[in-house]
Amino acid sequence: MGKTLYLDCTCGISGDMTVAALLDLGAREEVLRATLDSLPVEGYEVKIGRVLKAGLDCCDFDVVLEPGFENHDHDMAYLHGQDGGHAHGHDHLHTHPHAHDHARGRSHPHHHAHAHRGPADIDAIIDAGEMTPRARALAHRIVDILAHAEAKAHGVPLDEVHFHEVGAVDSVVDIVSVAVAIDDLDIDRVIVPVLKDGRGTIRCEHGVIPVPVPATLNIVEAHGLPLSVCDVEGELVTPTGAAIVAALEAEHELPARFCVKAVGLGAGKRTYERPSLVRALIIEELSGEALDPTAGFQNAAGSTTPVPLGEPNPAESEPRPTIDAAMRGPIVRLECDIDDASGEVLAYAADRLREAGAREVHWVPIFTKKGRPAWQLQVIAAIEDAERLEGIIFAETTTIGIRRWLCDRTVLERTWTTVPTPLGEVRTKVVTLPDGSLRAMPEYEDVAAIARRERLPFQTVMNAARSSWSV
């Protein structure tokens, strides 16, 4: 029986990121390399290693081209219009002579002959490789989706869409690698709730184009993929990433209850405010009946889907309470010690961090070396915000180093309601506890406003609000 794959594209998706995540998930490197060795393609080397992204240990899949084929893959200034020249990306097809092959920033040396391969040529390379019929069919689908998207973007017939010689090598490697890894993991169902892309512009061969790029939008439109644009300057979803999701015929709704069997993290090559990584999870849908209370159910960080931590007990007359809406997921804790900054500097830094999206900002009094009093800054943040918040800490404080931890947390379900009291309405937060009972906490600002207006003690108004609330 095949497995269900959940691709978390909160930070985008590209070909190399997907391959890396699938390898980290358990796809066998030896199977992948054997297939790549069988392809009639030369001029590259595949390197597989580990890198850190936002403090997370990720798999890195890198197609290294031979000398003379160097690229602007990591040159963020170039890709975003702060440099001159021509850039090409390897991560999708393009047309010739009007190419826009930008997605991972491949450049082509001017002295090199610009040979091109069309979709039929790439299909022939795929057919020559040693792989299962299922993997071969998936690779062909990805190429076909990319070709149609680029043909539409440039307004040319399908047979005029070409891979550039330099871009073709790593494009074919990524496409075939994804197909082989999906087959090796025995994936028969894929779920991708949303593709999260950036905004702004990125440089391609003949100029600067908007993000999401045309080819990606064409794939999203043609295949009904859900798309969301976040406030990050740059391209998070490449055409190949979108084509992979389309070729896999991904569903867009996560099961209401599921357990996680395996997790893989794949790193990208670019550096944006949001870490360049994709998460791949093998999940198993739960029916909600006769669940194992000892199972460590949890959902992926960033998902809003509730995950069960308890079960109905058939032996009891009443079902045992569960905390279905409790969510577990990783967050990042940033920490540094400061003994040479004024109170005004510290207060301003905390305000900046909260405004930038930090979940919590704490100043804790400590004693440092030689008995000097100092302050420890503790910032709790979402993984994707960690690098951006570190930049604020370095800019607004005197620290020269920041410690970073990945932490797990459990968050209970909470809802907001408005409680009528004899003194006026009070917003109240209601939390579901692990035993199924509820706890209410009146909103401080509402209670304080009534206390000032009525000239009553704060506790009097607070008690009235609690007394007025009922389950």
Side-chain angles (χ1 to χ4, degrees):
M1 181 177 179
K3 303 181 182 72
T4 297
L5 172 67
Y6 162 35
L7 285 176
D8 178 5
C9 303
T10 305
C11 299
I13 183 172
S14 66
D16 60 327
M17 289 163 64
T18 307
V19 179
L22 295 174
L23 286 168
D24 203 34
L25 197 59
R28 291 174 293 175
E29 180 179 340
E30 62 270 23
V31 173
L32 181 60
R33 289 191 180 275
T35 300
L36 295 178
D37 289 343
S38 71
L39 297 177
V41 176
E42 298 179 346
Y44 75 96
E45 176 188 1
V46 167
K47 293 185 177 181
I48 300 172
R50 313 296 301 184
V51 297
L52 288 178
K53 286 285 182 178
L56 301 179
D57 179 50
C58 304
C59 179
D60 179 54
F61 180 82
D62 193 14
V63 181
V64 182
L65 300 177
E66 289 183 348
F69 298 96
E70 290 79 6
N71 59 75
H72 289 281
D73 206 23
H74 309 279
D75 190 348
M76 302 304 294
Y78 181 95
L79 291 172
H80 292 281
Q82 302 170 25
D83 190 6
H86 300 286
H88 306 272
H90 92 285
D91 214 17
H92 59 98
L93 291 165
H94 71 94
T95 57
H96 179 70
H98 302 293
H100 106 258
D101 186 19
H102 73 278
R104 266 178 57 188
R106 292 288 175 222
S107 69
H108 309 302
H110 297 294
H111 66 270
H112 190 79
H114 284 203
H116 292 74
R117 298 185 179 104
D121 301 314
I122 303 304
D123 284 339
I125 292 173
I126 293 171
D127 285 335
E130 297 177 3
M131 64 189 89
T132 67
R134 182 182 179 218
R136 195 185 318 278
L138 177 56
H140 282 313
R141 282 201 301 275
I142 297 171
V143 172
D144 183 67
I145 290 169
L146 280 168
H148 279 85
E150 290 289 353
K152 180 178 179 181
H154 297 287
V156 298
L158 190 63
D159 59 4
E160 291 185 23
V161 176
H162 292 81
F163 273 104
H164 191 284
E165 176 181 69
V166 179
V169 175
D170 36 16
S171 292
V172 172
V173 169
D174 281 355
I175 290 169
V176 170
S177 297
V178 167
V180 170
I182 289 288
D183 181 68
D184 188 53
L185 289 168
D186 193 23
I187 302 298
D188 64 3
R189 181 189 182 196
V190 178
I191 302 173
V192 181
V194 67
L195 296 177
K196 186 81 71 172
D197 207 348
R199 58 174 179 81
T201 59
I202 192 166
R203 180 174 296 179
C204 67
E205 182 182 15
H206 292 293
V208 175
I209 58 176
V211 175
V213 300
T216 295
L217 289 179
N218 289 340
I219 294 170
V220 167
E221 177 191 8
H223 298 272
L225 305 183
L227 177 68
S228 175
V229 175
C230 65
D231 192 28
V232 171
E233 182 80 18
E235 181 189 38
L236 304 183
V237 176
T238 68
T240 293
I244 290 167
V245 174
L248 290 170
E249 299 179 342
E251 302 172 25
H252 309 313
E253 294 290 337
L254 278 168
R257 304 157 80 91
F258 62 88
C259 60
V260 177
K261 297 297 185 180
V263 180
L265 288 175
K269 303 299 183 294
R270 294 183 178 177
T271 302
Y272 292 125
E273 293 178 14
R274 187 168 296 203
S276 177
L277 61 87
V278 67
R279 285 195 300 182
L281 297 85
I282 299 295
I283 65 173
E284 184 177 289
E285 186 171 0
L286 302 171
S287 65
E289 300 175 3
L291 304 179
D292 179 3
T294 64
F297 302 134
Q298 69 178 44
N299 67 334
S303 168
T304 58
T305 303
V307 179
L309 299 177
E311 67 166 357
N313 188 342
E316 298 175 353
S317 58
E318 295 292 334
R320 193 180 69 181
T322 65
I323 50 173
D324 286 353
M327 294 183 294
R328 287 182 178 175
I331 55 173
V332 173
R333 174 176 167 179
L334 307 176
E335 181 182 289
C336 61
D337 301 338
I338 300 174
D339 63 359
D340 56 352
S342 68
E344 292 87 352
V345 168
L346 303 182
Y348 183 79
D351 288 343
R352 281 286 317 279
L353 290 165
R354 293 188 185 98
E355 292 167 0
R359 302 286 179 84
E360 298 285 347
V361 181
H362 306 143
W363 287 110
V364 179
I366 60 172
F367 287 94
T368 60
K369 58 186 178 181
K370 300 181 180 178
R372 291 183 296 187
W375 294 95
Q376 184 175 94
L377 173 62
Q378 299 175 355
V379 179
I380 306 300
I383 293 173
E384 60 267 23
D385 294 334
E387 291 187 11
R388 180 165 51 85
L389 294 176
E390 281 188 349
I392 294 174
I393 294 172
F394 281 126
E396 298 293 349
T397 74
T398 55
T399 190
I400 59 174
I402 301 172
R403 298 179 289 273
R404 183 190 293 197
W405 288 277
L406 183 65
C407 310
D408 285 328
R409 68 169 185 166
T410 301
V411 181
L412 296 176
E413 179 188 19
R414 76 283 307 276
T415 59
W416 285 92
T417 186
T418 299
V419 175
T421 77
L423 301 170
E425 292 187 340
V426 176
R427 288 173 296 163
T428 301
K429 179 167 60 178
V430 181
V431 175
T432 302
L433 298 174
D435 63 0
S437 63
L438 302 178
R439 180 176 63 204
M441 176 57 66
E443 174 64 14
Y444 167 83
E445 296 294 344
D446 290 5
V447 173
I450 293 174
R452 293 189 184 97
R453 186 187 69 224
E454 302 296 332
R455 296 186 178 181
L456 292 171
F458 179 88
Q459 286 293 346
T460 299
V461 181
M462 178 68 78
N463 292 336
R466 285 174 172 159
S467 299
S468 298
W469 178 81
S470 61
V471 179

